[in-house]
C-alpha cells in the first residue's frame, strides 16, 4: 500500500529511486513520482499509472540530483490523478514529502491551514502533512538539519493516523528525514550513502545492512551518518540487522511473471518452512519462536486464527488440520472483524495472527486487540522484522523469501506447513503417540517432492485453463480441508483474471448455488481420494445432470472422475491433512494461465495492493 524510496549519497539518486520503485510496485501502482534536490531547488516528476509511465516522463524531461525521494501510490484519499501523485509540496514549494499511510484528521488540519491562507493542489491527506512540516520550518526559521527534524516532529505531533514518510527541503541540502508510525520504514546503510524504503527489497541490491525503524521514530539521514530520535524528542536505541536474502531473490529470473516464479518456488519454500523444525527423535515439531513451554502449550484449550484474504483461507484450512492432529477446538476470525466483534475468549485461548507481509492493518489491529485483552498472541509472518512480527508475543517465520506477485501463492502453502507443524506439536503434547508423530514427520518430509511432482502438471493445467478462459463465472467446490482451498481457488481467479468466482463446501451446492449451474458455468471440484470422495462424486453428478461443465482435481490413479467429469487433473496422494498443500497448486496455476490467456497483468491486478496498510 504505497511504497517509498529515498536516497542520499555521492551517486545520482534517480537510478536508485527508479530501481527501488520498480521493486515496490507491488505495494501500489496508481501513480508514481520522484523529487530530487539539485543546486538549491527541488525538481519533481510524476505520472499517473505504472512506474514505466514515470520513466517515460523522466526520459522526456530528465532530472538530476544526489538526494531524492520517490513514491508509488495505492490511492486512499483522493482519486487516481496527476495532482494526487506524490511527492507533495508545502506552501513555499521548497519542501517535498512522500507518505505511506493515512492521516485520519487531515480534514480538520486542512481547514485550519486553509484559514491561515494555505492553498492545496491535491485532495490527499499527504499534502496536509507536507504543509504542516513546511509551516513549522518557516515558522521557526531554522534552516538546519536539526530545524528540519524538529519541524517534522512538530507536524507529526499534530497528526492522528499512520505514516511512513520521507522529506527533503531545498533550503536544507545534505539531509533527508524519515519517520514512521504504523507504516513500515527501513534505513539502508551504505558507504557514504544511505537509503530509506518501505521494504528492504527496494534497497537490497545496494546494501544488506539495515535498521528497521520503530513506530514514532524519526531518522535524519545524511550521506555519511544518520541520527535516530523519537517524535517525543528523546534519543532512540537501534539495532543494525543484516538482510537474509539477496537481490536475486527479488528478481523474476527466467520466469515471465513473479506469480509463476513463486508458484514454482514452492518445493523450496515448503522445505524452508519445515527446515530444522522436525525432530524425528522426539517425533514432534520444534517451534522455538513460540516461546512457550510444553506445559503452557498443554494448557491451551482453544485456538483462534486470524488473518485477511489468502491468510484467512490458510486459517480456515488450519482449523481442519489442527483439530484433526491436536483435537483442540480452533476458531477462525477475519482480522477486520476480530477487533470489532468482541469475541469471547477464555484465559487459555491462544491467538495466532497470520500475515505474509506482517503489515496488514486489519491483522495488526486484531493482534493489538487480542493483546489488549491480555491474550498471548503469536504471529505467523514471512517478512522478518515486520510490525506484526515485532509486536507479537512470539511466532513462527515462514522463511518463504520475498513474495512479489500481488496474489499470494507460496506464502499460502508455507502457512499451511506451519499450521501442520503446530498441529503436530500440540497433538504430540496430547494424544498422538511417538509412532504417529513419526508417521506425520515422514509424510511431511515427502511434501517438497510431491509439490514438485504436482508442478509437472503445469502444461496439462494450462491446456484446461485455456479451454475455459472465456467463461464469465466459475464455481469452486470442496469438502473438509479442501473447502477453504475451494475458496482460495476462487479468490485467486478473481484477483488474477477479474472473473466472478465463488468457493463453497460441495454439499452447499443444493442449498442455492445449484441455481447458478448451466452449460456456461464451469465448476471446479476438489475431489481427492479421501473419506468424502463419494460425497463429492454425488455433487459432481448433480452438476452434470444440469449440464454444467466440471473440472475435477483428483488423486493419481483415480479412474472414476474421468468417467463423469469434462476434465480431470490428478495430483499425488497424500494424507488428508496434507492434501490441501497439493490441491491448491493446480488452482494457482489454473488462475495464472487464465489471467495470462486473457492478457491480464497477473503480477499487478487492478485495484489491488500486496500489503494493505490501511483499515
Ligand atoms: C491483500 C493481498 C492479498 C493478501 C492479503 C493479506 O489483500 O492482496 O493477496 O492475502 O492482503 O496479506 P498479508 O500480507 O497479511 O498476508
Amino acid at each position: 500500500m504505497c511504497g517509498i524510496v529515498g536516497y542520499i549519497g555521492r551517486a545520482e539518486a534517480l537510478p536508485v529511486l527508479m530501481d527501488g520503485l520498480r521493486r515496490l510496485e507491488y505495494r501500489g501502482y496508481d501513480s508514481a513520482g520522484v523529487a530530487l534536490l539539485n543546486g538549491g531547488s527541488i525538481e519533481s516528476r510524476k505520472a499517473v499509472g505504472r512506474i514505466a509511465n514515470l520513466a517515460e516522463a523522466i526520459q522526456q524531461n530528465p532530472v538530476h540530483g544526489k538526494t531524492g525521494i520517490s513514491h508509488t501510490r495505492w490511492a486512499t484519499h483522493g482519486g487516481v490523478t496527476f495532482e494526487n501523485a506524490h511527492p507533495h509540496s508545502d506552501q513555499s514549494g521548497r519542501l517535498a514529502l512522500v507518505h505511506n499511510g493515512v492521516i485520519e484528521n487531515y480534514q480538520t488540519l486542512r481547514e485550519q491551514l486553509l484559514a491561515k491562507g494555505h492553498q492545496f493542489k491535491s485532495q490527499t491527506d499527504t499534502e496536509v502533512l507536507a504543509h504542516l512540516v513546511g509551516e513549522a520550518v518557516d515558522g521557526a526559521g531554522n534552516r538546519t538539519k536539526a530545524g528540519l527534524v524538529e519541524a517534522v516532529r512538530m507536524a507529526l505531533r499534530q497528526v492522528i493516523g499512520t505514516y511512513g514518510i520521507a522529506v527533503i527541503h531545498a533550503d536544507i541540502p545534505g539531509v533527508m528525514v524519515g519517520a514512521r508510525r504504523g507504516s513500515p520504514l527501513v534505513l539502508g546503510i551504505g558507504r557514504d550513502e544511505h537509503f530509506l524504503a518501505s521494504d528492504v527489497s527496494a534497497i537490497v541490491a545496494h546494501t544488506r545492512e539495515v535498521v528497521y525503524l520503530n513506530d514514532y521514530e524519526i531518522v535524519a539521514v545524511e550521506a555519511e551518518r544518520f541520527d535516530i530520535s523519537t517524535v517525543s524528542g528523546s534519543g532512540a536505541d537501534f539495532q543494525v540487522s543484516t538482510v537474509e536474502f539477496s537481490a536475486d531473490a527479488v528478481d523474476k529470473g527466467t520466469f515471465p511473471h513473479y506469480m509463476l516464479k513463486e508458484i514454482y518456488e514452492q518445493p523450496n519454500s515448503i522445505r524452508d518452512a519445515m527446515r530444522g523444525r522436525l525432530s524425528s527423535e522426539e517425533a514432534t515439531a520444534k517451534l522455538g519462536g513460540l516461546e512457550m513451554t510444553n506445559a503452557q502449550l498443554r494448557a491451551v484449550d482453544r485456538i483462534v486464527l486470524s488473518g485477511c484474504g489468502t491468510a484467512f483461507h490458510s486459517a480456515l484450512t488450519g482449523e481442519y488440520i489442527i483439530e484433526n492432529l491436536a483435537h483442540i477446538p480452533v476458531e477462525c476470525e477475519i482480522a477486520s472483524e476480530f477487533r470489532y466483534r468482541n469475541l469471547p475468549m477464555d484465559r487459555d485461548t491462544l491467538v495466532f495472527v497470520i500475515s505474509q507481509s506482517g503489515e496488514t492493518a486489519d491483522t495488526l489491529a486484531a493482534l493489538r486487540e487480542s493483546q489488549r485483552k491480555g491474550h498471548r498472541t503469536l504471529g505467523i509472518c514471512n517478512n522478518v522484522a515486520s510490525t506484526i512480527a515485532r509486536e507479537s508475543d512470539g511466532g513462527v517465520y515462514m522463511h518463504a523469501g520475498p513474495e512479489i506477485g500481488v496474489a499470494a501463492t507460496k506464502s499460502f502453502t508455507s502457512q499451511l506447513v506451519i499450521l501442520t507443524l503446530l498441529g503436530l506439536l500440540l497433538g504430540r503434547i496430547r494424544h498422538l503417540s511417538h509412532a504417529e508423530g513419526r508417521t506425520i514427520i515422514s509424510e511431511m518430509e515427502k511434501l517438497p517432492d510431491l509439490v514438485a511432482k504436482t508442478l509437472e502438471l503445469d502444461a496439462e493445467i494450462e491446456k484446461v485453463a485455456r479451454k475455459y478462459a472465456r467463461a464469465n463465472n466459475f464455481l469452486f467446490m470442496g469438502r473438509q480441508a479442501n473447502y477453504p482451498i475451494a475458496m482460495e481457488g476462487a479468490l485467486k481467479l478473481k484477483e488474477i483474471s477479474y472473473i466472478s468466482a465463488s468457493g463453497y463446501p460441495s454439499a452447499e451446492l443444493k442449498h442455492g448455488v445449484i441455481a447458478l449451474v448451466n452449460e456456461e458455468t464451469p465448476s471446479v471440484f476438489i475431489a481427492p481420494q479421501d473419506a468424502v470422495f463419494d460425497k463429492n462424486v454425488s455433487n459432481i453428478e448433480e452438476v452434470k445432470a444440469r449440464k454444467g461443465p466440471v473440472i475435477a482435481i483428483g488423486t493419481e490413479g483415480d479412474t472414476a472422475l474421468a468417467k463423469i467429469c469434462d476434465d480431470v487433473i490428478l495430483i499425488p496422494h497424500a494424507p488428508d491433512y496434507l492434501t490441501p498443500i497439493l490441491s491448491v497448486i493446480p488452482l494457482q496455476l489454473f488462475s495464472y494461465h487464465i489471467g495470462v490467456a486473457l492478457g491480464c497483468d497477473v503480477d499487478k491486478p487492478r485495484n489491488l495492493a500486496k500489503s494493505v496498510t490501511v483499515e
Side-chain angles (χ1 to χ4, degrees):
M1 178 113 332
C2 298
I4 291 176
V5 192
Y7 175 82
I8 188 161
R10 312 228 174 279
E12 276 295 320
L14 191 68
V16 177
L17 300 181
M18 293 302 285
D19 179 57
L21 285 184
R22 283 189 193 98
R23 295 182 190 278
L24 290 189
E25 210 176 6
Y26 73 86
R27 297 178 69 89
Y29 29 85
D30 288 333
S31 61
V34 295
L36 285 97
L37 204 56
N38 194 11
S41 65
I42 287 177
E43 282 199 63
S44 40
R45 302 284 181 271
K46 302 178 188 186
V48 170
R50 301 290 162 89
I51 311 295
N53 301 0
L54 175 65
E56 212 177 291
I58 294 173
Q59 204 175 20
Q60 281 163 19
N61 191 5
V63 61
H64 297 282
K66 295 179 176 169
T67 302
I69 58 175
S70 61
H71 187 268
T72 179
R73 180 170 188 243
W74 189 84
T76 55
H77 292 62
V80 179
T81 62
F82 182 85
E83 290 70 31
N84 288 338
H86 299 217
H88 289 287
S89 195
D90 68 336
Q91 183 65 19
S92 74
R94 310 279 298 154
L95 172 145
L97 181 146
V98 288
H99 168 224
N100 165 208
V102 173
I103 307 300
E104 290 168 17
N105 59 336
Y106 86 104
Q107 279 293 11
T108 317
L109 295 168
R110 188 178 161 111
E111 276 155 30
Q112 289 165 1
L113 289 162
L114 281 169
K116 290 187 206 166
H118 285 246
Q119 287 168 343
F120 292 94
K121 297 189 177 107
S122 78
Q123 287 79 50
T124 63
D125 51 340
T126 305
E127 194 181 7
V128 171
L129 186 51
H131 277 243
L132 282 180
V133 180
E135 186 186 48
V137 170
D138 296 337
N142 181 358
R143 286 173 154 65
T144 63
K145 178 186 110 182
L148 183 57
V149 171
E150 191 50 35
V152 169
R153 194 173 279 140
M154 280 172 70
L156 294 180
R157 282 185 192 153
Q158 297 176 61
V159 305
I160 300 170
T162 54
Y163 51 79
I165 55 167
V167 191
I168 52 174
H169 198 293
D171 300 340
I172 315 172
V175 64
M176 161 173 78
V177 177
R180 74 156 276 182
R181 183 195 170 257
S183 302
L185 195 64
V186 54
L187 168 75
I189 306 168
R191 186 179 289 177
D192 296 336
E193 59 183 5
H194 286 102
F195 311 81
L196 284 176
S198 300
D199 170 338
V200 285
S201 63
I203 53 174
V204 72
H206 307 284
T207 179
R208 289 167 81 167
E209 301 290 292
V210 300
V211 176
Y212 296 100
L213 295 180
N214 293 308
D215 275 354
Y216 298 108
E217 283 181 352
I218 301 184
V219 61
V221 196
E222 297 170 72
E224 290 95 6
R225 51 171 296 168
F226 63 88
D227 288 304
I228 300 179
S229 57
T230 64
V231 173
S232 62
S234 56
D237 289 337
F238 65 87
Q239 205 186 333
V240 177
S241 313
T242 305
V243 179
E244 277 177 27
F245 58 86
S246 69
D248 296 351
V250 285
D251 280 338
K252 265 191 297 212
T254 53
F255 287 90
H257 297 100
Y258 281 110
M259 184 180 176
L260 191 63
K261 177 188 179 223
E262 288 156 8
I263 291 173
Y264 269 83
E265 277 172 353
Q266 289 176 109
N268 284 334
S269 53
I270 284 170
R271 200 174 280 120
D272 289 342
M274 294 192 282
R275 196 184 299 281
R277 290 172 170 166
L278 288 172
S279 162
S280 297
E281 204 179 303
E282 292 179 43
T284 189
K286 298 269 189 196
L287 298 173
L290 299 182
E291 290 178 30
M292 290 175 77
T293 62
N294 283 359
Q296 286 171 319
L297 287 168
R298 197 181 164 88
V300 172
D301 64 6
R302 185 160 163 258
I303 290 176
V304 172
L305 303 175
S306 191
C308 299
T310 291
F312 180 65
H313 292 159
S314 80
L316 289 173
T317 320
E319 177 177 347
Y320 287 90
I321 299 171
I322 296 172
E323 289 187 351
N324 176 344
L325 296 180
H327 299 180
I328 297 176
V330 177
E331 194 164 338
C332 300
E333 197 62 50
I334 291 185
S336 56
E337 291 294 308
F338 185 103
R339 68 189 295 199
Y340 298 116
R341 231 202 102 190
N342 205 15
L343 197 68
M345 300 198 289
D346 67 23
R347 210 185 40 166
D348 296 319
T349 302
L350 185 60
V351 181
F352 281 88
V353 290
I354 308 173
S355 173
Q356 186 283 131
S357 62
E359 301 292 348
T360 300
D362 288 325
T363 313
L364 181 58
L367 165 78
R368 288 178 177 159
E369 174 65 6
S370 167
Q371 286 177 326
R372 195 193 56 73
K373 287 185 165 172
H375 286 279
R376 186 176 184 84
T377 311
L378 303 163
I380 298 177
C381 293
N382 192 31
N383 258 352
V384 175
S386 57
T387 309
I388 292 176
R390 287 189 296 164
E391 288 196 15
S392 52
D393 303 311
V396 191
Y397 275 123
M398 297 173 204
H399 297 309
E403 188 178 68
I404 310 286
V406 166
T409 52
K410 64 174 176 173
S411 63
F412 180 70
T413 47
S414 296
Q415 288 158 13
L416 295 189
V417 167
I418 289 167
L419 292 165
T420 312
L421 292 171
L422 193 62
L424 170 62
L425 171 65
L426 293 168
R428 279 285 291 135
I429 290 174
R430 290 169 170 76
H431 64 281
L432 284 177
S433 68
H434 191 276
E436 286 165 324
R438 285 288 280 264
T439 307
I440 294 168
I441 289 179
S442 83
E443 295 292 352
M444 288 191 80
E445 282 170 341
K446 289 182 205 153
L447 262 180
D449 290 341
L450 297 182
V451 170
K453 219 169 153 211
T454 310
L455 289 168
E456 287 170 14
L457 299 165
D458 191 7
E460 205 181 305
I461 295 165
E462 181 176 2
K463 227 188 274 168
V464 180
R466 285 179 180 277
K467 177 171 164 191
Y468 293 97
R470 301 282 152 193
N472 291 322
N473 189 18
F474 277 83
L475 303 173
F476 286 77
M477 263 139 338
R479 284 174 179 259
Q480 305 286 299
N482 282 308
Y483 150 47
I485 299 302
M487 293 171 77
E488 175 61 9
L491 177 65
K492 285 288 87 78
L493 191 66
K494 280 183 276 206
E495 287 179 309
I496 298 306
S497 68
Y498 319 137
I499 297 174
S500 171
S502 16
Y504 298 97
S506 308
E508 272 298 291
L509 184 69
K510 51 195 178 296
H511 300 297
V513 193
I514 202 155
L516 298 175
V517 171
N518 61 25
E519 283 171 43
E520 269 83 51
T521 305
S523 294
V524 181
F525 272 87
I526 308 161
Q529 287 288 349
D530 56 14
V532 287
F533 176 75
D534 293 340
K535 304 286 169 198
N536 268 319
V537 169
S538 303
N539 299 130
I540 293 173
E541 297 279 14
E542 285 155 14
V543 170
K544 285 314 301 172
R546 286 152 185 92
K547 300 195 167 52
V550 172
I551 305 154
I553 314 290
T555 306
E556 258 172 19
D558 183 293
T559 50
L561 289 171
K563 292 186 189 130
I564 48 170
C565 302
D566 298 77
D567 292 277
V568 177
I569 292 156
L570 299 180
I571 58 171
H573 176 266
D576 290 4
Y577 56 89
L578 294 180
T579 303
I581 296 173
L582 301 181
S583 62
V584 75
I585 289 169
L587 304 186
Q588 294 170 343
L589 287 166
F590 185 69
S591 46
Y592 170 78
H593 288 301
I594 290 191
V596 171
L598 295 179
C600 300
D601 188 347
V602 295
D603 278 340
K604 300 184 192 79
R606 72 179 178 213
N607 303 340
L608 295 179
K610 179 122 192 101
S611 162
V612 181
T613 56
V614 292
E615 198 184 332

